[in-house]
Every structure is written in structure tokens, then in C-alpha cells.
Amino acid sequence: MNHCVFFLGQPKVETLEPVNDQSCVIGQDTQISWKFSGIDKPRVKWLFNNKLLPTNDRFKIADTEDGTSTLSIRQVERADQGIYTAMATNSAGEAKARTTLFIIIKPVITVNLDGSLQIMKAKTMTLRIIAIGTPKPGIVWMKGNNKIKPIDRIHETTQNHEDDYIYTLEIVNLQPEDEGEYSATISNIGGSLQSNKCKITVSSNIPANAKWAQSGMTIAGGNGYGGATNQLSGPWGLFIDDDQTVIIADHVNHRIMQWKNGDTTNGQVVAGGKGQGNGLNQLHIPTDVLIDKETDSLIICDRENRRVVRWSRRSDTTQGEILIENIQCWGLAMDEQRNLYVSEMEKHAVRRYQLGEKNDTLVAGGNGIGDGLNQLNFPAYLFVDRQQNVYVSDNGNHRVMKWNKGAKEGIVIAGGQRAGSALTQLYYPNGIFVDTLGTLYVVDSLNNRVMRCTQGDKKQATIIVGGNGEGEGANQFNVPRGLTFDRHGNLYVADMGNNRVQQFSVE
């Protein structure tokens, strides 16, 4: 906008507003113009914050015959914010026109959201983003595609610390329905940007005094030995999704089965099922399976094919891809950083792999078969906690070992007293689970029971289900293998010899 200042004798500002404001996004070019006139043509000089403004490569002044003086600023910097005064003088006096220039800084996120968080039910979830920007950026928090509205449990705060704006979303008394993908949009008049997405998983801690129904409910199989979709043949490892869908390594049928919550009649083949073989559409004695939530795919221990394979969970998937070759695996686990852990039978070791890379890191055993603290004897199933400590059911040594991250030796946390049925003994342990309190749950296969071992119990465990002899009753097992819990604390056991999966409801 141009303004006219007329001089009659001593210069006099005739324009109504010889003062204005302008703004410019940092890094862009801008111009400030004022128009002056007088009988004696005035000369114009520019001041910045009341000091003479020198011209250089970034600051240039151009005057035209009609009395317009234009200040051009190239690649505006933060320090250029301030008051620019055009001072016109002639023999009769002077006149001034003033522009306040505000520098706009597009938002920049300096501390972003984590990719995923697992938080205990009833605890407080806190998400924090730190950003800079001028003027102060606003924030809109989102869950999925929906804007979050503050309610009694949901609080949003913004704090200012020097140049940083700290945005916090807090949800107290976290519940399973709070699970989902959280993100935020940060914006000001200079622009907007999206934060990372953070996937929140709500997990249930299992109380130390929890009890389970002693009679299990069959939620998969239980219709005899066979290959129909309502049957299982020797189920081994199993994994449960957030929606309580159970994924089962149906090892004698050379397939992976999926049984959805509430549908106990028929399962669905989601990998293999094309007979025994080594084709990419086949499996041969799969022993364990897990879900990689990041890629929505299954990772399978295809034991007798000596490989670990990945199958997409898309409905049109007809074959898998090989992740790891030449390994006689048994159990699988994945940590929060998506490192894959594999137990290796032949070399009595547990190895960690980064997905997409061939190199591995030895994390347990690997010193030949034996019962030393640095050895394993046919390591079976695995569990990895948030600190990347590895738990191993050391099948042939009738014990469960904990290998702290980076340790050269393990710690016996259950069993290790030779095979037996005393509460201090295990008899070929298999599936394991460790809750956030460090309590161990283990399938004691040939004792046909599931044991709980709390920290500090000197390896003496308690029976939580089973222990009623081998059989097919609702309170019995026949050489159980896999074990897992859903987020509500219900227990699931792969009852291999009875060709079924049993659910035991937490009381």
C-alpha cells in the first residue's frame, strides 16, 4: 500500500495513517514502500529501530521520480523484525512514515511423538510435542481421523519456555477404548505440519493374587485330530491380537490358523495349508507365530524348512517371503523396537535380528549344549520385556532362564532342579509370558499344568490351572505347549494332545 505525504513549505504528512504493520515469512523476500512529495523534492533515508539502516546485499533502497522510496529485504531473518522508518527531508523540514515488520516463522517440531507406546490400564498416558514458531502455533490433537475433545479424563496444556512451545495431551485412567493412533497438527499463519503418529496399546497388568477359572473353555479346535477348518492337529505356539483374535501354529497340519473372538465353530487358514513342503506357499511343522503390527503381517517359525517366513495378513495373500534361512528355529519374540528374537535348536542359542538385515546378534547360549549358566539345552519359547531382557524356556534343562540385555550368562528363574513334579521343578517347559511386575507364567508340559513364579519366590511356583493329570477334561491338559494372555488377563493355552486351545477366564 502506498501513502502520499505532501509538503507545502515545511514538510507535512497529509496521509491519514503514516504508520502500518507488515509481516513476512522467514526466508522469503519483502518490500516496504512509502511515497513522499513536496515543492522541494525530499531526500529519503531509512532507519531500523531508530538507527540508520546501511545498505548491502540483503538491504537495498530504490527511489523513483514520483517520490516513492522502496526498501527491499532479501531472505528475511528473525533479526529483521522491528520498526522501519522512512525519513524524508528537504530544505523546509522533514516527515516520517513508519512500518513495523513482523517475522513469521513456520512451525518446526523439535521433539516429536514416539512411534508406539504400551501403557498399563488405569495409568496416565502423556504425549508431548515441542515446537517453535512465530506467532505462537496452535495445535489440534487427533485420534485417528477424529479431533480430540477435552473431557474429564482428557487434558490439553501448552507451556512456553524461551522459544519453545510445549504441547501436552494427558489422558488419566487409561482404558482399552483409548487405544489407537494419536497425532497432532501444528499451525500458524506461516503454515502447518503433522506430527508423527503414535500407536497407543493399553495393557492389563495381572494382579499378583489373580485367579483363573479352573475349567477352560475351548475357543479353537476340540473336534478331534484333523485338517478341517474346525479342527487342529497338535497346536503349538499361539499369539493373540488386540481384538482377541487367536493365531495358532497348527503344526501337524503345516498351517497357521486364525480364530476370531466369539467364533468357536470354524477357524480360517491364514498361512500354509497346502500340505507339507518347502514352497513359498507351504509350511513344514510350524512351531511358533507372532504378529508384526507395523506391517500387519505374520512372522512364522517354519521349523522343518529351516527358515523364518513372513506372510501378509491381507486376504489375497497366497504365499510368504523368507526372512531368515538355514536356522532350525523353535520360538519367536519381538521387542518394541521391532527386533526379532529366534531360538535356535541345533546351536542351543537365541539370536536377535533386525528385520530386513541378515546379520544377527547372539543374546543367549551359543556355547554348546549343557546346563551351565552360559548354556542352553534345546531352547524353546521366548519372551522379551521392555528392557530387552530375554526369557527362555530351556526345555532340555527343565528350567526357565532370564538373560539380561548384554549378559554373558543367564539367571535361573524357575525350575533347574532336574525334571519332576514338585513346585520347585519343571518337566519340559514350553510357552512363557512375563508381566510388567516380572511375574513368570510357564507351561509345564509333561506335568500338564501352568505355573506362576513371582520374583523373590526362590524358584517355588504355584499352579494356576491344570495339574489334574493328563486328560481331556475342561480342567485337564494333554501335553500343553503355547501360552499367552489377552489384554484383560484371560489365559490361553495350546493343549497340543487334545488338539484344542483353551481359554481360562480371569476371576
Side-chain angles (χ1 to χ4, degrees):
M1 181 182 295
N2 294 331
H3 304 267
C4 296
V5 183
F6 294 95
F7 292 87
L8 297 173
Q10 182 174 342
K12 182 180 180 182
V13 178
E14 296 291 341
T15 182
L16 294 177
E17 294 291 342
V19 176
N20 71 3
D21 295 337
Q22 278 186 215
S23 59
C24 180
V25 175
I26 194 167
Q28 295 184 359
D29 298 342
T30 192
Q31 290 183 333
I32 303 172
S33 294
W34 289 99
K35 188 175 182 180
F36 299 92
S37 62
I39 295 174
D40 181 10
K41 182 179 177 181
R43 298 181 303 277
V44 181
K45 63 181 178 180
W46 287 81
L47 309 178
F48 176 57
N49 293 337
N50 295 320
K51 293 183 179 179
L52 185 65
L53 180 69
T55 58
N56 52 37
D57 289 342
R58 290 186 55 243
F59 293 88
K60 295 184 181 296
I61 298 170
D63 296 326
T64 60
E65 288 298 324
D66 67 354
T68 299
S69 183
T70 300
L71 170 65
S72 298
I73 308 175
R74 188 171 63 85
Q75 296 179 349
V76 166
E77 299 175 358
R78 190 169 188 170
D80 297 335
Q81 180 167 294
I83 299 172
Y84 292 82
T85 303
M87 180 180 294
T89 59
N90 64 11
S91 57
E94 67 178 33
K96 297 179 181 179
R98 188 178 68 204
T99 295
T100 302
L101 180 64
F102 296 96
I103 307 303
I104 297 170
I105 301 175
K106 295 180 181 180
V108 175
I109 294 175
T110 57
V111 176
N112 217 322
L113 298 178
D114 292 327
S116 63
L117 289 174
Q118 185 178 51
I119 304 172
M120 296 301 303
K121 179 181 175 183
K123 297 293 185 181
T124 297
M125 177 192 87
T126 302
L127 300 181
R128 183 172 290 111
I129 294 172
I130 301 178
I132 58 174
T134 304
K136 173 185 173 181
I139 189 168
V140 176
W141 288 98
M142 305 288 289
K143 179 185 177 187
N145 296 320
N146 299 315
K147 181 179 176 181
I148 294 174
K149 297 179 181 179
I151 56 174
D152 291 342
R153 292 193 304 115
I154 302 177
H155 309 129
E156 298 180 18
T157 59
T158 303
Q159 296 175 300
N160 181 222
H161 178 69
E162 296 180 347
D163 293 333
D164 293 330
Y165 295 98
I166 305 168
Y167 305 92
T168 303
L169 175 68
E170 184 179 84
I171 301 181
V172 300
N173 189 24
L174 199 67
Q175 297 299 310
E177 57 266 27
D178 296 319
E179 285 192 330
E181 213 167 50
Y182 289 77
S183 62
T185 301
I186 311 286
S187 61
N188 64 12
I189 59 174
S192 64
L193 75 163
Q194 292 289 125
S195 73
N196 292 342
K197 293 180 179 179
C198 178
K199 186 171 184 178
I200 299 296
T201 302
V202 180
S203 60
S204 296
N205 199 29
I206 303 170
N209 60 350
K211 294 183 178 180
W212 288 264
Q214 292 303 292
S215 293
M217 178 177 70
T218 301
I219 57 95
N223 296 300
Y225 181 95
T229 56
N230 69 341
Q231 293 179 302
L232 297 169
S233 293
W236 278 40
L238 72 165
F239 190 94
I240 189 159
D241 202 358
D242 295 336
D243 61 2
Q244 293 179 277
T245 296
V246 181
I247 312 295
I248 306 161
D250 188 13
H251 92 295
V252 179
N253 283 322
H254 313 291
R255 66 187 185 182
I256 304 298
M257 295 293 290
Q258 172 179 283
W259 292 69
K260 293 188 177 180
N261 182 29
D263 183 2
T264 59
T265 304
N266 284 285
Q268 175 189 1
V269 179
V270 290
K274 302 295 184 183
Q276 172 186 321
N278 62 5
L280 290 178
N281 66 340
Q282 293 177 301
L283 300 171
H284 187 189
I285 308 294
T287 54
D288 204 8
V289 60
L290 59 80
I291 295 175
D292 177 11
K293 296 179 182 180
E294 185 78 16
T295 59
D296 194 28
S297 60
L298 303 173
I299 296 180
I300 303 163
C301 172
D302 189 9
R303 192 175 78 182
E304 294 307 307
N305 279 324
R306 303 178 57 83
R307 65 191 185 187
V308 176
V309 295
R310 175 165 55 197
W311 284 62
S312 170
R313 298 183 73 194
R314 294 195 312 267
S315 60
D316 60 347
T317 299
T318 58
Q319 65 180 37
E321 61 173 320
I322 298 172
L323 294 180
I324 305 169
E325 294 184 283
N326 299 317
I327 182 170
Q328 192 173 31
C329 55
W330 187 329
L332 303 169
M334 182 177 283
D335 65 23
E336 292 184 353
Q337 288 72 43
R338 296 183 66 239
N339 295 306
L340 181 65
Y341 297 74
V342 184
S343 62
E344 187 176 10
M345 293 173 57
E346 286 179 325
K347 297 184 179 179
H348 309 284
V350 179
R351 302 183 185 279
R352 181 178 66 231
Y353 296 82
Q354 286 187 316
L355 291 179
E357 296 187 10
K358 299 297 183 183
N359 295 332
D360 64 82
T361 301
L362 179 70
V363 295
N367 294 298
I369 188 171
D371 61 2
L373 293 180
N374 68 341
Q375 294 178 302
L376 296 168
N377 182 353
F378 290 101
Y381 289 97
L382 305 174
F383 186 90
V384 181
D385 65 20
R386 300 185 73 176
Q387 289 73 44
Q388 295 182 312
N389 303 315
V390 179
Y391 300 78
V392 187
S393 56
D394 189 7
N395 189 266
N397 283 323
H398 311 289
R399 66 187 184 183
V400 177
M401 301 286 287
K402 177 184 179 182
W403 291 64
N404 291 314
K405 183 179 181 180
K408 300 300 183 184
E409 291 186 345
I411 304 165
V412 180
I413 60 172
Q417 308 291 320
R418 299 182 182 276
S421 59
L423 294 180
T424 57
Q425 293 178 301
L426 298 171
Y427 197 176
Y428 291 113
N430 276 286
I432 55 176
F433 182 91
V434 180
D435 70 15
T436 55
L437 297 177
T439 302
L440 167 72
Y441 298 83
V442 54
V443 172
D444 189 9
S445 289
L446 290 196
N447 283 322
N448 293 295
R449 64 192 185 184
V450 177
M451 309 294 284
R452 172 171 58 194
C453 186
T454 57
Q455 288 186 336
D457 272 357
K458 297 182 180 179
K459 297 191 266 308
Q460 178 166 319
T462 56
I463 302 170
I464 61 169
V465 293
N468 299 306
E470 180 182 308
E472 58 183 27
N475 68 340
Q476 293 179 301
F477 297 115
N478 183 355
V479 193
R481 289 285 187 176
L483 165 150
T484 192
F485 289 86
D486 66 23
R487 66 188 185 189
H488 304 292
N490 301 311
L491 168 65
Y492 298 76
V493 180
D495 188 6
M496 182 188 72
N498 286 320
N499 306 300
R500 66 188 182 182
V501 174
Q502 297 287 88
Q503 181 200 68
F504 297 86
S505 299
V506 65
E507 294 180 346

